[in-house]
Coordinates of all heavy atoms in Angstrom, one line a residue:
K74 N -12.0 -23.7 12.6 CA -12.9 -22.6 12.4 C -12.2 -21.3 12.1 O -12.9 -20.2 12.0 CB -13.9 -22.4 13.6 CG -14.9 -23.6 13.8 CD -15.8 -23.3 14.9 CE -16.8 -24.4 15.1 NZ -17.7 -24.2 16.2
L75 N -10.9 -21.3 12.0 CA -10.1 -20.1 11.8 C -10.5 -19.5 10.4 O -10.4 -20.2 9.4 CB -8.6 -20.4 11.9 CG -7.7 -19.2 11.5 CD1 -7.8 -18.1 12.5 CD2 -6.3 -19.7 11.4
K76 N -10.8 -18.3 10.4 CA -11.1 -17.6 9.1 C -10.0 -16.5 8.9 O -9.7 -15.7 9.9 CB -12.5 -16.9 9.1 CG -12.8 -16.2 7.8 CD -14.1 -15.5 7.9 CE -14.4 -14.8 6.6 NZ -15.7 -14.0 6.7
M77 N -9.5 -16.4 7.7 CA -8.4 -15.4 7.5 C -9.0 -14.3 6.5 O -9.6 -14.6 5.5 CB -7.2 -16.1 6.9 CG -6.6 -17.1 7.8 SD -5.0 -17.8 7.2 CE -3.9 -16.4 7.2
D78 N -8.8 -13.1 6.9 CA -9.3 -11.9 6.1 C -8.1 -11.0 5.8 O -7.1 -10.9 6.6 CB -10.4 -11.2 6.9 CG -11.2 -10.3 6.1 OD1 -11.1 -10.4 4.8 OD2 -11.8 -9.4 6.6
Y79 N -8.3 -10.3 4.7 CA -7.2 -9.3 4.3 C -7.9 -8.0 4.1 O -8.9 -7.8 3.4 CB -6.5 -9.8 3.0 CG -5.8 -11.1 3.3 CD1 -6.4 -12.3 3.3 CD2 -4.4 -11.1 3.5 CE1 -5.7 -13.5 3.5 CE2 -3.7 -12.3 3.7 CZ -4.3 -13.5 3.7 OH -3.6 -14.6 4.0
V80 N -7.3 -6.9 4.7 CA -7.7 -5.6 4.5 C -6.6 -4.7 3.9 O -5.5 -4.8 4.4 CB -8.1 -5.0 5.9 CG1 -8.5 -3.5 5.8 CG2 -9.3 -5.7 6.5
Y81 N -7.0 -4.0 2.9 CA -6.0 -3.2 2.1 C -6.2 -1.7 2.4 O -7.3 -1.2 2.4 CB -6.1 -3.4 0.6 CG -5.9 -4.9 0.3 CD1 -7.0 -5.7 0.1 CD2 -4.7 -5.5 0.2 CE1 -6.9 -7.1 -0.2 CE2 -4.5 -6.8 -0.1 CZ -5.6 -7.6 -0.3 OH -5.4 -8.9 -0.6
Y82 N -5.0 -1.0 2.6 CA -5.1 0.4 2.9 C -3.7 1.0 2.5 O -2.8 0.3 2.0 CB -5.2 0.7 4.4 CG -4.0 0.3 5.3 CD1 -3.2 1.3 5.7 CD2 -3.7 -1.0 5.6 CE1 -2.0 1.0 6.5 CE2 -2.6 -1.3 6.3 CZ -1.8 -0.3 6.8 OH -0.7 -0.6 7.5
Y83 N -3.6 2.3 2.6 CA -2.3 2.9 2.3 C -2.0 4.0 3.4 O -2.9 4.6 4.0 CB -2.2 3.6 1.0 CG -3.0 4.8 0.8 CD1 -2.5 6.1 1.1 CD2 -4.3 4.8 0.3 CE1 -3.2 7.3 0.9 CE2 -5.1 5.9 0.1 CZ -4.5 7.2 0.4 OH -5.2 8.3 0.3
D84 N -0.7 4.1 3.8 CA -0.3 5.0 4.8 C 1.2 5.1 4.7 O 1.8 4.5 3.8 CB -0.7 4.6 6.2 CG -0.8 5.7 7.2 OD1 -0.2 6.8 6.9 OD2 -1.6 5.6 8.2
E85 N 1.8 5.8 5.6 CA 3.3 5.9 5.5 C 3.9 4.6 5.6 O 3.7 3.8 6.5 CB 3.8 6.8 6.7 CG 3.8 8.3 6.4 CD 4.6 9.1 7.5 OE1 5.8 8.9 7.5 OE2 4.0 9.8 8.2
P86 N 4.8 4.2 4.6 CA 5.4 2.9 4.6 C 6.6 2.8 5.6 O 7.3 3.8 5.7 CB 5.8 2.7 3.2 CG 6.1 4.1 2.7 CD 5.1 5.0 3.4
L87 N 6.8 1.7 6.2 CA 8.0 1.5 7.0 C 9.1 0.9 6.2 O 10.3 0.9 6.6 CB 7.6 0.5 8.2 CG 6.5 1.0 9.1 CD1 6.2 -0.1 10.2 CD2 7.0 2.3 9.8
N88 N 8.8 0.2 5.1 CA 9.8 -0.5 4.3 C 9.6 -0.1 2.8 O 9.0 -0.9 2.1 CB 9.7 -2.0 4.5 CG 10.8 -2.7 3.7 OD1 11.8 -2.2 3.3 ND2 10.4 -4.0 3.3
N89 N 10.1 1.0 2.4 CA 10.0 1.5 1.0 C 11.1 2.5 0.8 O 10.9 3.7 1.2 CB 8.6 2.0 0.7 CG 8.4 2.2 -0.8 OD1 9.3 2.5 -1.5 ND2 7.1 2.1 -1.3
F90 N 12.1 2.2 0.0 CA 13.2 3.1 -0.2 C 12.8 4.2 -1.2 O 13.5 5.2 -1.2 CB 14.4 2.3 -0.8 CG 15.0 1.3 0.1 CD1 14.9 -0.1 -0.2 CD2 15.5 1.6 1.3 CE1 15.4 -1.0 0.6 CE2 16.0 0.7 2.2 CZ 16.0 -0.7 1.8
D91 N 11.7 4.0 -1.9 CA 11.3 5.1 -2.8 C 10.5 6.2 -2.1 O 10.2 7.2 -2.7 CB 10.3 4.5 -3.9 CG 11.1 3.6 -4.8 OD1 12.3 3.8 -5.0 OD2 10.5 2.6 -5.3
Y92 N 10.2 5.9 -0.8 CA 9.4 6.9 -0.1 C 10.3 7.9 0.7 O 11.2 7.4 1.4 CB 8.4 6.2 0.9 CG 7.7 7.1 1.9 CD1 6.7 8.0 1.4 CD2 8.1 7.2 3.2 CE1 6.0 8.8 2.3 CE2 7.4 8.1 4.1 CZ 6.4 8.9 3.6 OH 5.8 9.8 4.4
V93 N 10.0 9.2 0.5 CA 10.7 10.2 1.3 C 9.7 11.1 1.9 O 8.8 11.7 1.2 CB 11.6 11.1 0.4 CG1 12.3 12.1 1.2 CG2 12.6 10.2 -0.3
A94 N 9.6 11.1 3.3 CA 8.6 11.9 4.0 C 8.6 13.3 3.6 O 9.7 14.0 3.5 CB 8.9 11.8 5.5
G95 N 7.4 13.8 3.3 CA 7.3 15.2 2.9 C 7.6 15.5 1.4 O 7.3 16.6 0.9
V96 N 8.1 14.5 0.7 CA 8.4 14.6 -0.7 C 7.5 13.7 -1.6 O 6.9 14.1 -2.5 CB 9.9 14.3 -1.0 CG1 10.2 14.4 -2.5 CG2 10.8 15.2 -0.2
T97 N 7.5 12.4 -1.2 CA 6.7 11.4 -1.9 C 5.4 11.1 -1.1 O 5.4 10.9 0.1 CB 7.5 10.1 -2.1 OG1 8.8 10.4 -2.5 CG2 6.8 9.2 -3.1
A98 N 4.3 11.1 -1.9 CA 3.0 10.9 -1.2 C 2.7 9.4 -1.2 O 2.8 8.7 -2.2 CB 1.9 11.6 -2.0
P99 N 2.4 8.8 0.0 CA 2.0 7.4 0.0 C 0.9 7.0 -0.9 O 0.8 5.9 -1.5 CB 1.6 7.2 1.5 CG 2.3 8.3 2.2 CD 2.3 9.5 1.3
E100 N 0.0 8.0 -1.1 CA -1.2 7.7 -2.0 C -0.7 7.4 -3.4 O -1.2 6.5 -4.1 CB -2.1 8.9 -2.0 CG -3.3 8.7 -2.9 CD -4.2 10.0 -2.9 OE1 -4.0 10.9 -2.1 OE2 -5.2 10.0 -3.7
D101 N 0.3 8.2 -3.9 CA 0.8 8.0 -5.3 C 1.5 6.7 -5.4 O 1.4 6.0 -6.4 CB 1.8 9.2 -5.6 CG 1.1 10.5 -5.7 OD1 -0.1 10.5 -5.9 OD2 1.8 11.5 -5.5
I102 N 2.3 6.3 -4.4 CA 3.0 5.0 -4.4 C 2.0 3.9 -4.4 O 2.1 2.9 -5.2 CB 3.9 4.9 -3.2 CG1 5.0 5.9 -3.2 CG2 4.5 3.5 -3.2 CD1 5.9 5.9 -2.0
A103 N 1.0 4.0 -3.5 CA -0.1 2.9 -3.4 C -0.9 2.8 -4.7 O -1.2 1.7 -5.2 CB -1.0 3.2 -2.3
R104 N -1.2 3.9 -5.3 CA -1.9 3.9 -6.6 C -1.2 3.2 -7.7 O -1.7 2.4 -8.4 CB -2.3 5.4 -7.0 CG -3.2 5.4 -8.2 CD -3.5 6.9 -8.6 NE -4.1 7.7 -7.5 CZ -5.4 7.7 -7.4 NH1 -6.2 7.1 -8.1 NH2 -5.9 8.5 -6.4
Q105 N 0.1 3.5 -7.8 CA 1.0 2.8 -8.8 C 1.1 1.3 -8.5 O 1.0 0.5 -9.4 CB 2.4 3.5 -8.8 CG 3.3 2.9 -9.8 CD 4.6 3.6 -9.8 OE1 4.9 4.5 -9.0 NE2 5.5 3.3 -10.7
I106 N 1.2 0.9 -7.3 CA 1.3 -0.5 -6.9 C 0.0 -1.2 -7.2 O 0.0 -2.3 -7.7 CB 1.8 -0.7 -5.4 CG1 3.2 -0.2 -5.3 CG2 1.6 -2.1 -5.0 CD1 3.7 -0.2 -3.8
C107 N -1.1 -0.6 -6.8 CA -2.4 -1.2 -7.1 C -2.7 -1.4 -8.5 O -3.2 -2.5 -8.9 CB -3.5 -0.3 -6.5 SG -3.6 -0.4 -4.7
N108 N -2.2 -0.5 -9.4 CA -2.4 -0.6 -10.8 C -1.6 -1.8 -11.3 O -2.0 -2.6 -12.2 CB -2.0 0.6 -11.5 CG -3.0 1.8 -11.3 OD1 -4.2 1.5 -11.1 ND2 -2.5 3.0 -11.5
S109 N -0.4 -2.0 -10.8 CA 0.5 -3.1 -11.2 C 0.0 -4.4 -10.8 O 0.3 -5.4 -11.5 CB 1.9 -2.8 -10.7 OG 2.0 -3.0 -9.3
V110 N -0.7 -4.5 -9.7 CA -1.2 -5.9 -9.2 C -2.7 -6.0 -9.4 O -3.3 -7.0 -8.9 CB -0.8 -6.1 -7.8 CG1 0.7 -6.1 -7.6 CG2 -1.4 -5.0 -6.8
E111 N -3.3 -5.1 -10.1 CA -4.7 -5.2 -10.5 C -5.6 -5.2 -9.3 O -6.5 -6.0 -9.1 CB -5.0 -6.4 -11.4 CG -4.2 -6.4 -12.7 CD -4.5 -7.6 -13.5 OE1 -5.4 -8.5 -13.1 OE2 -4.0 -7.7 -14.6
I112 N -5.4 -4.3 -8.3 CA -6.2 -4.1 -7.2 C -6.9 -2.7 -7.4 O -6.2 -1.7 -7.7 CB -5.5 -4.1 -5.9 CG1 -5.0 -5.6 -5.6 CG2 -6.3 -3.6 -4.7 CD1 -4.2 -5.7 -4.3
N113 N -8.2 -2.6 -7.2 CA -8.9 -1.4 -7.4 C -8.5 -0.4 -6.3 O -8.9 -0.6 -5.1 CB -10.4 -1.7 -7.3 CG -11.3 -0.4 -7.7 OD1 -10.7 0.7 -7.8 ND2 -12.5 -0.7 -8.0

């Protein structure tokens, strides 16, 4: 009866070398990634 669900969000990443706190916005990174993998 196990059901698996997936929830998508964006926030400060723990594993992303392109992210620099105070310089790069998580929203911009997430938007770019979502576009590349066809997620709204």
Side-chain angles (χ1 to χ4, degrees):
K74 292 184 179 181
L75 176 66
K76 181 183 178 183
M77 298 185 68
D78 194 20
Y79 294 79
V80 174
Y81 301 98
Y82 72 101
Y83 72 87
D84 206 337
E85 276 194 63
L87 299 177
N88 179 27
N89 191 331
F90 298 117
D91 296 327
Y92 172 73
V93 180
V96 178
T97 314
E100 180 180 353
D101 295 336
I102 297 175
R104 188 183 297 274
Q105 184 178 2
I106 291 175
C107 285
N108 289 335
S109 66
V110 296
E111 299 181 1
I112 290 179
N113 189 346

